Amino acid sequence: MRIEKKNAVNSDRRSNRAEAYGSSRYDDKNRRSRESRRNDSGSIRTERKRSSSSRRRRRKRHNARKSMLLFGIVFIMLVCIAFIGSLLLGGSSRKKNGSGSEANIFSLLNLSETEADAAPDISVNLDSLYSPHAVLIDKNTGMVMGAKSSDEVIFPASMTKILTVWVAIENIKNLDASVTMDTDFYDALYAEGASQAGFEPGETTVIRELLYGALLPSGAECCMQLAIEAAGSEEGLVELMNQKVEELGLTQSHFMNCTGLHNDDQYTTVYEMALILQAALENSTFRTVFTTHYHVMSATDVHPDGFTVWSTFFKNVADEIVTGGEIIGAKTGYTEEAGLCLATLAEVGDREYILVTAGWSSEDVSSYHIKDAFTGYDLLGEALGYTEDTTEENTAG
């Protein structure tokens, strides 16, 4: 009875509460609670779906990167295998066929520059030249094509200026700067009877003009001024010149001055002189000057109209044609002790060559050193299979 009474009381309380607040409010509250639970559940499910979708996308991207990486590795391996196979097949082919069949891959990758640029396999006999010392080398490779007492020591005379100008170019920062000719060295040059280009003491010019003055007319005053500009003095430049000789690995060359005036301790060989010229020609500025036949100097305060200087070689030849080509650059030299000397550059066929001669007797000042240059290159052209007819055709073309 007590329990029934309690239940009746609770029922009455719920009834009274419903009447007091209205049953609809309870219904709304219950509905919102259910909807909230459903929304929370839906949000959780949506978030789970989004998270799962994101993980799937990340897995896809990861797998794609792995696939691309694997593909790249496999591709590189295949290329390497093909490359190695080509090398092996190419090497085998060259062993079977000899040097006449070059593998394209070697020429394309320049793996053997010496092999690709090999000098013609010929020999030129230079015994018929007047000069007692002579050497003919391939300009690109340095290979000796012909020689005549080429390792005997000689005096270089004005061939020295090849080294002088090259070293000066490398040590002067601005070749287009103005310079005023020093007045201190002229008396000594006059006393020695040194050849000059024509610049007067105190004359203002441009350094670049001194390069032409030194190489073309063999101007000693230009060499002296270049020494001052490059190293502060002739002694300073000579030190740099001998350093360059050491860098080239030359053992029979030594220099005491920059002009080529005779000194018993200034010497070289025609072979080492050829190697000096070969190296100097790699400098584009030097090559431009060395291959110039004549040059018009710019106007100065002393020469308002400028003046023209000629190469001591080209002004003494009717033309530069040799069998299969032409002489394109030259530097002469002469002292009583050295005799007549000459270093030349010629293009024969599709290659360039250097011929250096020295020691023609000073008792006969005839230009036999110039004749030797043409004879030497004619012999080379003939050995290469050129004739006078083909030379004329090339010249006409």
Side-chain angles (χ1 to χ4, degrees):
M1 293 293 293
R2 194 176 296 171
I3 293 174
E4 290 176 357
K5 186 177 180 179
K6 183 177 182 179
N7 289 336
V9 170
N10 290 338
S11 176
D12 291 339
R13 288 177 178 173
R14 284 194 295 270
S15 177
N16 294 334
R17 197 175 292 152
E19 291 176 357
Y21 296 100
S23 60
S24 60
R25 182 171 181 177
Y26 271 90
D27 292 340
D28 290 341
K29 183 177 180 181
N30 292 334
R31 185 172 61 253
R32 286 195 300 270
S33 177
R34 288 192 301 271
E35 289 176 354
S36 175
R37 286 194 297 271
R38 283 197 300 269
N39 291 337
D40 291 344
S41 177
S43 298
I44 292 172
R45 286 194 298 270
T46 301
E47 187 65 29
R48 286 176 179 174
K49 288 180 180 179
R50 290 176 179 173
S51 177
S52 176
S53 176
S54 177
R55 285 196 298 272
R56 285 196 298 271
R57 286 196 298 270
R58 285 198 296 272
R59 281 198 298 270
K60 287 181 179 179
R61 288 196 296 268
H62 180 69
N63 291 336
R65 285 195 294 267
K66 287 177 63 177
S67 299
M68 290 296 294
L69 179 61
L70 181 61
F71 175 79
I73 293 172
V74 172
F75 178 77
I76 292 173
M77 290 178 63
L78 291 174
V79 171
C80 291
I81 292 172
F83 177 75
I84 294 172
S86 298
L87 293 181
L88 294 176
L89 291 174
S92 175
S93 175
R94 282 192 301 278
K95 289 179 181 179
K96 292 179 181 179
N97 300 330
S99 60
S101 176
E102 293 293 336
N104 289 335
I105 194 166
F106 276 87
S107 60
L108 288 173
L109 297 179
N110 198 24
L111 296 180
S112 179
E113 182 177 351
T114 302
E115 184 177 353
D117 191 37
D121 186 17
I122 61 169
S123 179
V124 180
N125 189 334
L126 301 179
D127 290 343
S128 62
L129 302 189
Y130 292 101
S131 301
H133 307 281
V135 70
L136 174 67
I137 69 170
D138 181 275
K139 181 260 179 185
N140 288 349
T141 65
M143 179 179 292
V144 176
M145 316 299 292
K148 178 182 179 182
S149 300
S150 61
D151 290 327
E152 294 181 6
V153 170
I154 58 130
F155 297 122
S158 284
M159 290 192 299
T160 299
K161 295 179 174 96
I162 292 172
L163 183 59
T164 297
V165 171
W166 175 32
V167 173
I169 290 171
E170 290 192 340
N171 287 277
I172 297 175
K173 292 182 179 180
N174 183 9
L175 295 175
D176 295 312
S178 295
V179 60
T180 299
M181 301 298 292
D182 199 292
T183 59
D184 294 337
F185 52 73
Y186 275 88
D187 288 341
L189 296 181
Y190 294 147
E192 291 280 356
S195 58
Q196 296 190 32
F199 290 104
E200 298 293 336
E203 184 173 359
T204 299
T205 185
V206 176
I207 295 175
R208 189 179 300 274
E209 302 285 47
L210 302 180
L211 306 178
Y212 291 94
L215 282 183
L216 303 188
S218 206
E221 85 277 27
C222 298
C223 295
M224 295 297 291
Q225 192 65 48
L226 285 171
I228 294 172
E229 300 304 317
S233 66
E234 182 181 22
E235 292 76 14
L237 183 64
V238 168
E239 183 177 351
L240 295 176
M241 291 164 65
N242 284 315
Q243 287 178 11
K244 182 65 69 176
V245 165
E246 292 180 6
E247 291 173 9
L248 294 175
L250 308 182
T251 59
Q252 293 181 280
S253 298
H254 184 263
F255 294 88
M256 296 294 293
N257 61 60
C258 66
T259 60
L261 292 171
H262 180 72
N263 187 305
D264 287 340
D265 291 326
Q266 180 150 304
Y267 52 82
T268 186
T269 67
V270 290
Y271 175 62
E272 293 197 350
M273 195 72 238
L275 295 181
I276 291 172
L277 177 56
Q278 178 195 24
L281 287 167
E282 294 302 308
N283 183 290
S284 60
T285 300
F286 177 90
R287 182 185 175 92
T288 296
V289 178
F290 186 79
T291 55
T292 298
H293 293 194
Y294 70 92
H295 178 73
V296 180
M297 298 292 186
S298 58
T300 69
D301 49 344
V302 177
H303 298 92
D305 296 326
F307 61 97
T308 302
V309 292
W310 276 85
S311 162
T312 52
F313 174 84
F314 289 108
K315 75 175 182 179
N316 289 311
V317 299
D319 60 56
E320 307 83 40
I321 303 304
V322 296
T323 302
E326 62 179 329
I327 299 175
I328 58 178
K331 181 70 196 79
T332 61
Y334 171 78
T335 64
E336 289 186 5
E337 296 83 0
L340 292 165
C341 309
L342 180 60
T344 55
L345 171 69
E347 184 177 18
V348 180
D350 58 353
R351 300 182 70 84
E352 292 182 346
Y353 301 88
I354 292 171
L355 176 63
V356 178
T357 61
W360 174 246
S361 174
S362 59
E363 296 178 0
D364 186 347
V365 293
S366 298
S367 301
Y368 287 115
H369 60 319
I370 293 179
K371 293 180 180 179
D372 281 346
F374 284 90
T375 300
Y377 290 122
D378 284 340
L379 292 171
L380 172 65
E382 292 169 5
L384 291 171
Y386 295 100
T387 64
E388 292 184 1
D389 292 337
T390 58
T391 300
E392 291 176 358
E393 290 175 2
N394 291 337
T395 304

